[in-house]
Amino acid sequence: MTARWAATLWRCLAVLATLAMLGTLPPPSYAQGSPVILLTDDETNFQVSGMLDLRMADRPGSSAAQIDAMGPSQFATVPASQLLPLSAKNTAWLRLRLARAAGSNATWTLHVPLPYLDYAAVYLRDARGKWVAQVAGDTVAVDRWTHPALYPDFNLQLDEQTPTEVLVQVQNFKPVLLPLRIVQEGARARQRELESLGLGALLGMMGMLVGVCAIHYSQSRRRDDAWYTAYT
């Protein structure tokens, strides 16, 4: 009997301790928002991690000005590694606060290394305070992209020390993990060159393979070689 009462007492104490811990945890906060990301000249390539401000909306959804007017309290602070519950009927708005460190002269870019993303837009305020969009994605003509590349790539105009608010709008036909990379313009330009070089090499190898198959068919005149060439 004594052992049974002792076990019951320990269970009660465990429940009370759990409730006390839950009571001390801060409730989900929408007003505080994610911290400011400080960019320095020493770090040329930065992966956005930690916490992000997220708001899901129905399509066609609101404009950047309307989202901004709602205020930070309408954004939920979520882990950057969270799967965005995107579909053909909704859109995701992300809010970033970026700042250049004191004395920094670097210019920055933001890119999303996902070649299958339907739509992505980055909004920054101009000198008059109006939101200006840069757009990219599979549903956007390539000549409208800021940097025609394998995936969405945008310029960032950031103030020194003073946080700059950046809105990122994303649409996709299915849920997606959204990697956001902030890279200095010089380093990003070199990355684009390497990406273009790699793509050109891949296309060249494919062309050579088709050529070899075609030459082989011209010599053998076999039907299966013809089908293989057409398949390639």
Side-chain angles (χ1 to χ4, degrees):
M1 181 67 69
T2 303
R4 183 180 300 176
W5 277 107
T8 303
L9 179 61
W10 277 112
R11 292 193 193 99
C12 292
L13 291 174
V15 170
L16 291 175
T18 302
L19 292 175
M21 290 177 61
L22 291 175
T24 58
L25 291 176
S29 175
Y30 286 74
Q32 182 178 1
S34 58
V36 176
I37 299 174
L38 186 65
L39 304 175
T40 66
D41 289 354
D42 297 332
E43 192 169 13
T44 61
N45 196 325
F46 181 83
Q47 172 74 46
V48 177
S49 59
M51 306 300 289
L52 291 176
D53 295 337
L54 170 68
R55 176 178 172 82
M56 301 300 300
D58 295 332
R59 294 193 190 182
S62 305
S63 65
Q66 292 171 326
I67 292 293
D68 178 51
M70 294 178 183
S73 62
Q74 299 302 312
F75 286 80
T77 303
V78 300
S81 58
Q82 176 175 305
L83 186 73
L84 297 183
L86 290 168
S87 69
K89 297 182 179 180
N90 64 6
T91 183
W93 288 89
L94 300 170
R95 175 176 170 266
L96 303 176
R97 292 188 296 164
L98 309 176
R100 290 191 296 116
S104 173
N105 297 315
T107 56
W108 296 86
T109 67
L110 184 149
H111 66 276
V112 186
L114 288 178
Y116 57 84
L117 200 62
D118 286 349
Y119 178 85
V122 165
Y123 295 85
L124 291 161
R125 288 189 179 93
D126 61 13
R128 297 175 296 175
K130 181 181 178 181
W131 289 101
V132 178
Q134 302 173 61
V135 296
D138 291 346
T139 60
V140 180
V142 176
D143 59 2
R144 294 181 56 198
W145 293 31
T146 305
H147 296 286
L150 299 177
Y151 38 76
D153 199 347
F154 310 99
N155 293 331
L156 295 176
Q157 302 294 332
L158 306 177
D159 296 328
E160 183 178 334
Q161 294 185 290
T162 303
T164 299
E165 186 169 345
V166 180
L167 293 178
V168 181
Q169 183 186 14
V170 180
Q171 296 176 356
N172 203 48
F173 68 99
K174 65 178 181 179
V176 65
L177 287 171
L178 193 70
L180 297 175
R181 300 201 67 87
I182 301 174
V183 184
Q184 289 187 18
E185 174 57 39
R188 182 66 189 126
R190 291 189 291 272
Q191 289 179 359
R192 295 190 197 105
E193 292 176 356
L194 291 175
E195 290 168 358
S196 299
L197 181 62
L199 180 61
L202 178 61
L203 293 176
M205 292 174 62
M206 293 177 63
M208 290 177 61
L209 178 61
V210 173
V212 169
C213 292
I215 293 173
H216 183 69
Y217 167 69
S218 67
Q219 295 174 348
S220 66
R221 294 297 178 178
R222 294 171 53 185
R223 180 177 297 179
D224 53 349
D225 288 338
W227 281 113
Y228 185 75
T229 302
Y231 173 78
T232 303

